[in-house]
Amino acid sequence: MEDHAGYAGRLLADRYRLPPPPAEEYAYAESLAWDTASGQEVLVRQVPLPEVVDAEVVDEGRYAAVPGAPDGAGQPHGSSPRLFEQGVPPGRATRRPADPVVRRAVEAAVAASRIPDHPRLDQVFDVFVEGDGLWIVSELVPAHSLAALLAERPLGAHRAAEIAADVLAALRVVHAHGWAHRNVTARTVLICEDGRALLTGLAVGAAEEALCGYDPLPEPGP
């Protein structure tokens, strides 16, 4: 499928086409992207990798595989079946077994993305490592962050209560699956065009915790 107009920048994982970056910027923390396989716009977030880990663990390849993830897990409707590759494709990415930091971060983000779909949580489609970043691809929601909304005007008491109720509903789902969401901020709460609040950032937070040496995964059930 041809790239969508306006997306002529870097191609991630041979699939996600970024827009050209502004001249003064050299990296994306968060960006729209065009999924060339499904023909959909998506949102990509980059979790920077520590330089020493990047140099030792990630080779010149395009992405790192996600061990044990099924083909097509979490993929958008109509997309190709390859999202989470099993095994390491030759010449694309390598990992040193003695330093599994990046592998743990990818596994943590993938595990977080497996929480069942819920109208108060965003959906993660893909997780991979390329270059100096761990990339998380999620659905593009017509929404603005709570931070942007608060920058325009204060919230009334009734509206604040509505948003809080939606966030609590999202957290109940997260907690029901054994997770603790430690990335709840005004930027990870999105206010959708239909008025509902949606919580994002769980997979990013899990990856960041793993990179910092913590284990964000829930305790195994009995």
Side-chain angles (χ1 to χ4, degrees), residues 122-167:
D122 71 334
Q123 183 181 5
V124 172
F125 296 144
D126 202 352
V127 180
F128 57 91
V129 170
E130 180 173 327
D132 58 355
L134 185 157
W135 299 84
I136 297 174
V137 182
S138 60
E139 64 176 320
L140 179 60
V141 181
H144 296 284
S145 70
L146 178 58
L149 181 63
L150 292 174
E152 294 178 357
R153 62 185 183 276
L155 294 177
H158 180 72
R159 184 66 181 126
E162 289 179 332
I163 293 173
D166 284 349
V167 173

